[in-house]
Amino acid sequence: MGDVAEDQVQLPLLRTSDATEEEPFERSGTIWTASAHIITGVIGAGVLSLAWSMAQLGWIAGPLCMIVFAAVTIFTSNLLCDLYRFPDPESGPTRIRSYPQAVRFYLGEKSQKVCAIFANESLYGCGITYTITTASSIRAIQKSNCYHREGHDAPCAYGYTLYMLLFGAVQIVMSQIPNFHNMEWLSVIAAIMSFTYSFIGFGLGFAKVIENREIKGSISGVPTANTADKLWLAFQALGDIAFAYPYSIILLEIQDTLKSSPPENKTMKKASMISILITTFFYLCCGCFGYAAFGSLTPGNLLTGFGFYEPYWLIDFANACIVLHLVGGYQIYSQPVFGFVERWLTKKYPTSQFVNNFYTFKFPSLPPLKINLLRISFRTAYVMSTTAIAMIFPYFNQVLGVLGALNFWPLAIYFPVEMYFVQKKIGAWTKQWIVLRIFSFICLLVTIIGLIGSIEGLISAKFG
């Protein structure tokens, strides 16, 4: 087990006061608030690419891959739920409140440093992806109204840059929310929005199938000019599906919001099961009916690729829901990065006024506003950087595939399995050790082929 001091394990999600005191907070979360957090984190940009992924994989491999990824996510999430308390997963006195802290506690400081690179890169990448997706949805609203006024063949061209800048400006303000314990309302709203636009995507696909009076698509998926092109697209589709599921990096932080009775691990396992079953149902509905509706012409983004033109107001509403959802989703994935960096700086510069001091401002009829210079400057710079990168690489499917494949094995598979070995004291070459090693190796191969295909797609989109 890694050598970690008790005070390091007991750190809260974010430092919201000076370095010498923790600001107390009440854990009031339930199975429903945890499910809302998970659904907000899981159903995001990924759901919109699943019809395209289905089109690349075909009618057998497509749904099968979604079900397998769902099963893997539930399995590894259950492993992580038991890591929150130590030594007993239900009543242990030591709380391990974030994924990187868990890796350090169970595997040591060197493993934590490697994990931190992948974890923060993954969360940072989600910010980039959500910026791209939001701009695409706002642009789709503009195009939908244009097509409705001027006809489906009208040259309705709109850029991304302005919309990305607007989303970035909103996130600069939203990023000043102190931590997860202040975000239950945001996750509930975002979860409602995700249900709404997923259901609309499913409904539009279903209606299109009825209108066509046929189910399009094939067992082999979209035909290509040669086998190499088919493999690249299939590999990229795996990356997109990998992006759509795992939320392991935020699981322990969500679990840290739960009440201690019933035990947090039991509540979290139930919340994970409920959330993944619900999201898988919507994923299959959106993916399958999207592919059935458009076949080989399935767009990369189901609600912004203009497979649908009418009813235009419903498409506008769905895209507005996406925007509202991703405002919350961006914060769900950014808060752990904010906490990681701010904790590190607080520890490194314990006497710095810039890092540790808070200044209170009182406005009429409003609660007191606490300002920290580090929080304002770092979080603003963070949002600006994700916005800038999104403007350079505004390629939805390719960026999703790269991020999904790059992070799937290390964060969702490797570290949870290795921590499970330590926690349960599973010896090498035992039956359970061999089975989990094979499982991890197979997932590593999926990550490698998904990453290769997605990088090829990104390079082709940028320079081809």
Side-chain angles (χ1 to χ4, degrees), residues 316-358:
D316 288 356
F317 178 67
N319 279 292
C321 289
I322 293 172
V323 173
L324 289 174
H325 172 228
L326 296 188
V327 168
Y330 186 103
Q331 288 301 314
I332 288 289
Y333 280 98
S334 297
Q335 288 288 341
V337 183
F338 299 157
F340 175 82
V341 173
E342 290 167 10
R343 283 196 299 266
W344 179 76
L345 290 173
T346 297
K347 182 179 177 183
K348 190 171 181 64
Y349 303 104
T351 60
S352 170
Q353 293 184 359
F354 177 81
V355 172
N356 297 287
N357 282 15
F358 279 77

Side-chain angles (χ1 to χ4, degrees), residues 75 417 420-421 426 432-441:
F75 174 70
V417 168
Y420 179 78
F421 285 155
I426 297 173
Q432 195 171 14
W433 186 92
I434 293 171
V435 170
L436 287 175
R437 279 275 182 261
I438 293 172
F439 165 73
S440 181
F441 179 71

Side-chain angles (χ1 to χ4, degrees), residues 90-112:
E90 293 186 10
S91 59
T94 300
R95 296 176 187 263
I96 305 172
R97 297 173 178 170
S98 74
Y99 192 99
Q101 285 179 5
V103 172
R104 179 172 182 175
F105 190 83
Y106 288 100
L107 302 179
E109 189 170 351
K110 290 183 179 179
S111 293
Q112 189 215 19

Side-chain angles (χ1 to χ4, degrees), residues 344-401:
W344 179 76
L345 290 173
T346 297
K347 182 179 177 183
K348 190 171 181 64
Y349 303 104
T351 60
S352 170
Q353 293 184 359
F354 177 81
V355 172
N356 297 287
N357 282 15
F358 279 77
Y359 304 94
T360 302
F361 295 87
K362 186 70 177 71
F363 297 97
S365 304
L366 294 174
L369 178 65
K370 288 187 175 181
I371 298 295
N372 174 261
L373 296 178
L374 169 65
R375 181 183 292 173
I376 289 178
S377 57
F378 167 65
R379 297 187 183 193
T380 299
Y382 178 94
V383 174
M384 290 173 65
S385 66
T386 60
T387 304
I389 294 175
M391 291 165 64
I392 297 171
F393 296 101
Y395 310 115
F396 177 74
N397 293 92
Q398 294 85 349
V399 172
L400 253 63

Side-chain angles (χ1 to χ4, degrees), residues 22-37:
E22 288 184 10
E23 183 175 324
F25 55 86
E26 180 184 358
R27 292 180 179 86
S28 58
T30 66
I31 187 173
W32 303 114
T33 60
S35 297
H37 279 314

Side-chain angles (χ1 to χ4, degrees), residues 163-349:
Y163 307 129
M164 290 183 180
L165 291 173
L166 288 173
F167 182 73
V170 171
Q171 290 304 331
I172 287 174
V173 176
M174 297 294 294
S175 67
Q176 297 308 309
I177 294 174
N179 56 40
F180 259 133
H181 302 279
N182 304 96
M183 289 178 61
E184 286 184 359
W185 63 273
L186 188 61
S187 279
V188 170
I189 292 172
I192 293 171
M193 294 298 101
S194 67
F195 275 125
T196 302
Y197 71 72
S198 296
F199 188 76
I200 291 172
F202 155 61
L204 288 172
F206 181 77
K208 188 72 173 178
V209 171
I210 299 299
E211 179 185 330
N212 294 338
R213 297 185 178 181
E214 65 172 325
I215 295 176
K216 296 185 178 182
S218 66
I219 292 176
S220 60
V222 174
T224 56
N226 54 65
T227 303
D229 288 345
K230 182 65 179 178
L231 287 175
W232 290 131
L233 291 171
F235 291 170
Q236 186 180 321
L238 286 176
D240 283 4
I241 296 174
F243 180 88
Y245 271 106
Y247 59 98
S248 56
I249 194 63
I250 59 173
L251 184 146
L252 290 175
E253 307 218 4
I254 295 173
Q255 192 166 340
D256 191 42
T257 68
L258 297 175
K259 294 184 289 188
S260 57
S261 180
E264 298 93 344
N265 65 327
K266 290 186 176 181
T267 302
M268 197 66 190
K269 286 178 181 179
K270 290 178 182 178
S272 295
M273 177 68 75
I274 291 170
S275 303
I276 295 302
L277 289 177
I278 290 172
T279 54
T280 301
F281 172 76
F282 277 104
Y283 281 4
L284 286 170
C285 288
C286 290
C288 291
F289 279 102
Y291 182 40
F294 301 107
S296 297
L297 299 177
T298 302
N301 184 320
L302 189 61
L303 289 174
T304 66
F306 284 92
F308 306 107
Y309 290 92
E310 301 291 344
Y312 81 100
W313 59 268
L314 187 59
I315 296 167
D316 288 356
F317 178 67
N319 279 292
C321 289
I322 293 172
V323 173
L324 289 174
H325 172 228
L326 296 188
V327 168
Y330 186 103
Q331 288 301 314
I332 288 289
Y333 280 98
S334 297
Q335 288 288 341
V337 183
F338 299 157
F340 175 82
V341 173
E342 290 167 10
R343 283 196 299 266
W344 179 76
L345 290 173
T346 297
K347 182 179 177 183
K348 190 171 181 64
Y349 303 104

